[in-house]
Amino acid sequence: ASEVHEKYAHIMEQRSEENEQAAITAIKRNILINWALSPPRYNTLRPIDQLVLSIHTCFPPAFGVKEHEFFQKWKPILPNELVMSAAMGNTPNVEKLKKAVRKIRFFLHPDKRPKDLNSDQEFMCKMLWDITSDAWDEFCSKNEELDWLRS
């Protein structure tokens, strides 16, 4: 191939990388604003129970990411699966919440995902995994602080 052909082939390669980066940036922004962060400032994560109950709203075909049959296997977690009873208030039960987080981590785990996910779907899984993990860690550390204050 001549230098001219190589030059334009390289430009097209760069353009497709730029398009891919733009798509990833759009997915990241959509997940953060529409699901992960609390309005109005969007600088803190929503509580883990809210994230667990609504994670399915982020699965493809959300935010223009191509649909994949894998995501249809997810069974949304319902509010009554997280609380002890309505009489006890609607505060999430720690053990039930832990089980729900495990279910999400198992579903989104890199070894459990199909090998034919495209890069956008892979990125989405990784981001949802990371946010769920961070929100769970935050929840656990707040609970430890409360336990310490109570003792």
Side-chain angles (χ1 to χ4, degrees):
S2 73
E3 275 185 50
V4 171
H5 290 302
E6 283 180 27
K7 174 185 171 187
Y8 289 101
H10 183 71
I11 288 171
M12 287 312 293
E13 225 172 80
Q14 280 180 318
R15 185 153 298 147
S16 89
E17 283 174 23
E18 287 167 9
N19 289 346
E20 197 170 305
Q21 269 313 114
I24 296 281
T25 301
I27 293 166
K28 192 183 296 182
R29 182 172 165 63
N30 275 313
I31 288 174
L32 289 173
I33 288 176
N34 294 304
W35 178 69
L37 300 176
S38 292
R41 288 206 185 123
Y42 298 102
N43 60 359
T44 56
L45 285 176
R46 291 179 196 266
I48 185 67
D49 56 313
Q50 289 179 23
L51 297 176
V52 163
L53 293 172
S54 61
I55 193 165
H56 63 281
T57 64
C58 294
F59 291 156
F63 315 129
V65 175
K66 189 171 181 258
E67 200 167 350
H68 191 286
E69 63 187 18
F70 169 70
F71 297 101
Q72 293 164 3
K73 294 175 185 167
W74 177 257
K75 187 176 163 276
I77 296 165
L78 303 173
N80 65 344
E81 294 176 67
L82 295 183
V83 295
M84 284 299 261
S85 71
M88 300 287 292
N90 287 331
T91 311
N93 170 276
V94 177
E95 285 308 308
K96 289 182 174 197
L97 194 53
K98 185 180 195 174
K99 189 176 172 186
V101 170
R102 270 202 201 119
K103 177 182 171 185
I104 291 169
R105 284 180 169 169
F106 185 82
F107 185 75
L108 294 175
H109 194 278
D111 295 340
K112 303 296 178 202
R113 299 192 297 249
K115 302 294 177 223
D116 66 340
L117 293 181
N118 69 29
S119 59
D120 291 352
Q121 294 160 339
E122 281 288 340
F123 176 78
M124 190 175 258
C125 287
K126 183 184 179 330
M127 191 164 177
L128 294 173
W129 165 284
D130 289 347
I131 291 168
T132 304
S133 296
D134 290 344
W136 174 248
D137 291 345
E138 201 171 281
F139 174 82
C140 289
S141 63
K142 278 183 184 165
N143 265 11
E144 285 170 13
E145 285 171 26
L146 286 175
D147 287 346
W148 184 81
L149 289 172
R150 287 184 197 119
S151 56

